[in-house]
PDB file of all heavy atoms in Angstrom:
ATOM      1  N   CYS A 912     -10.257 -12.678  -4.359  1.00 97.00           N
ATOM      2  CA  CYS A 912      -9.425 -11.976  -3.462  1.00 97.00           C
ATOM      3  C   CYS A 912      -8.175 -12.780  -3.166  1.00 97.00           C
ATOM      4  O   CYS A 912      -8.321 -13.841  -2.526  1.00 97.00           O
ATOM      5  CB  CYS A 912     -10.177 -11.671  -2.182  1.00 97.00           C
ATOM      6  SG  CYS A 912      -9.112 -10.776  -0.928  1.00 97.00           S
ATOM      7  N   CYS A 915      -7.716 -13.488   0.997  1.00 95.00           N
ATOM      8  CA  CYS A 915      -8.522 -14.467   1.653  1.00 95.00           C
ATOM      9  C   CYS A 915      -8.881 -15.652   0.820  1.00 95.00           C
ATOM     10  O   CYS A 915      -9.626 -16.534   1.285  1.00 95.00           O
ATOM     11  CB  CYS A 915      -9.744 -13.827   2.290  1.00 95.00           C
ATOM     12  SG  CYS A 915     -10.908 -13.210   1.099  1.00 95.00           S
ATOM     13  N   CYS A 948     -12.930  -5.916  -0.262  1.00 96.00           N
ATOM     14  CA  CYS A 948     -13.359  -7.334  -0.294  1.00 96.00           C
ATOM     15  C   CYS A 948     -14.479  -7.615   0.674  1.00 96.00           C
ATOM     16  O   CYS A 948     -14.259  -7.339   1.901  1.00 96.00           O
ATOM     17  CB  CYS A 948     -12.110  -8.253   0.049  1.00 96.00           C
ATOM     18  SG  CYS A 948     -12.610  -9.977   0.210  1.00 96.00           S
ATOM     19  N   CYS A 951     -13.019 -10.448   3.475  1.00 94.00           N
ATOM     20  CA  CYS A 951     -11.919 -10.145   4.466  1.00 94.00           C
ATOM     21  C   CYS A 951     -11.725  -8.684   4.763  1.00 94.00           C
ATOM     22  O   CYS A 951     -10.886  -8.364   5.644  1.00 94.00           O
ATOM     23  CB  CYS A 951     -10.617 -10.839   4.056  1.00 94.00           C
ATOM     24  SG  CYS A 951      -9.796 -10.002   2.723  1.00 94.00           S
ATOM     25  N   SER A 953     -10.131  -6.537   2.912  1.00 95.00           N
ATOM     26  CA  SER A 953      -8.910  -5.966   2.253  1.00 95.00           C
ATOM     27  C   SER A 953      -9.349  -4.960   1.203  1.00 95.00           C
ATOM     28  O   SER A 953     -10.380  -4.987   0.639  1.00 95.00           O
ATOM     29  CB  SER A 953      -8.110  -7.093   1.552  1.00 95.00           C
ATOM     30  OG  SER A 953      -8.725  -7.543   0.388  1.00 95.00           O
TER      31      SER A 953
HETATM   32 ZN1   ZN B2171     -10.571 -10.992   0.848  1.00 90.71          ZN
END
Side-chain angles (χ1 to χ4, degrees):
C912 176
C915 68
C948 171
C951 74
S953 72

